[in-house]
Amino acid sequence: RLLCLFLKSKTSYFREQFNVLEFTPFSKVLASNHNYTAADLKPGSYGTDSIHSERIDITKIPRQSDSYDFVIVSMILEHVLDERSAVTEVLRVLKPRTGLAIFSVPIDFRLEETIEEKTRNYEDLNSNYLLKKYGQKDHVRLYGRDFLERWEEMGCAGELVTPQSFLTRADLQSYLL
């Protein structure tokens, strides 16, 4: 809901046709009227919507540079060991100057700095350890208040958008946000 509300109020996403690449466990949410590609490393593993996703590794996107108007990455980066490669690839396939990348990640504002695993091999990780440290057995990162600084270090110019930053109090209550 929040992503759709943001796209409706802050972009022309629902008024024009775009080339869209969406990485999310909830693929096809935003497919209407677009040249749309749903991407998932493991299509079908999150339910029926993701079955029709194309198998794409976000760290090695098999697409031409500068080819997408929107790249939406929703609740994915906390699962990806090589965050820098993922962000670099998203920026590579995004159209320069006019493209918009949207990254939705869990942020714990109590944390000054992001905590993450340093290994580059998933086999080194124990799911019980990850569950205890990050709150989910397949998360390898929990973002902190340094979120925007991390993006800037990777070449992104961005802003942190919260429901309160663009919705009224009535909207927040109406949409249960």
Side-chain angles (χ1 to χ4, degrees):
R1 275 189 316 251
L2 182 59
L3 179 57
C4 288
L5 289 167
F6 173 80
L7 290 170
K8 184 177 181 181
S9 67
K10 298 293 185 184
T11 74
S12 58
Y13 189 91
F14 294 108
R15 295 184 302 276
E16 298 177 40
Q17 189 171 19
F18 296 106
N19 290 329
V20 178
L21 177 60
E22 184 181 16
F23 288 90
T24 178
F26 315 108
S27 63
K28 299 182 97 176
V29 172
L30 302 169
S32 63
N33 300 323
H34 298 295
N35 179 11
Y36 175 88
T37 302
D40 195 332
L41 185 59
K42 298 176 184 175
S45 61
Y46 296 101
T48 57
D49 280 352
S50 65
I51 290 171
H52 302 290
S53 296
E54 192 173 325
R55 186 185 186 291
I56 297 177
D57 181 343
I58 194 169
T59 65
K60 299 173 188 137
I61 302 171
R63 297 293 190 271
Q64 290 183 357
S65 297
D66 310 332
S67 54
Y68 289 96
D69 301 294
F70 284 88
V71 180
I72 299 167
V73 182
S74 184
M75 306 312 265
I76 297 296
L77 287 182
E78 64 275 12
H79 301 267
V80 178
L81 284 170
D82 192 354
E83 173 194 45
R84 184 169 295 279
S85 290
V87 172
T88 299
E89 277 294 278
V90 167
L91 294 177
R92 182 187 65 77
V93 301
L94 193 63
K95 289 182 180 177
R97 291 177 301 282
T98 60
L100 179 63
I102 298 173
F103 295 94
S104 173
V105 297
I107 300 175
D108 185 337
F109 289 100
R110 296 170 299 180
L111 294 174
E112 185 173 329
E113 292 185 2
T114 297
I115 57 172
E116 63 186 327
E117 295 305 305
K118 300 300 182 192
T119 183
R120 293 294 169 224
N121 185 354
Y122 281 104
E123 287 75 33
D124 294 341
L125 301 172
N126 175 290
S127 61
N128 289 328
Y129 161 80
L130 295 175
L131 178 63
K132 187 174 183 177
K133 186 170 182 180
Y134 301 106
Q136 195 165 319
K137 66 182 181 177
D138 56 351
H139 284 194
V140 296
R141 178 177 304 102
L142 181 57
Y143 290 97
R145 293 189 309 268
D146 64 337
F147 178 77
L148 281 179
E149 294 168 31
R150 292 173 66 88
W151 296 110
E152 290 168 1
E153 289 172 6
M154 290 185 273
C156 295
E159 78 179 88
L160 180 62
V161 177
T162 64
Q164 296 81 3
S165 68
F166 71 96
L167 294 172
T168 66
R169 182 178 298 272
D171 286 339
L172 292 170
Q173 291 174 345
S174 176
Y175 292 111
L176 301 175
L177 296 170

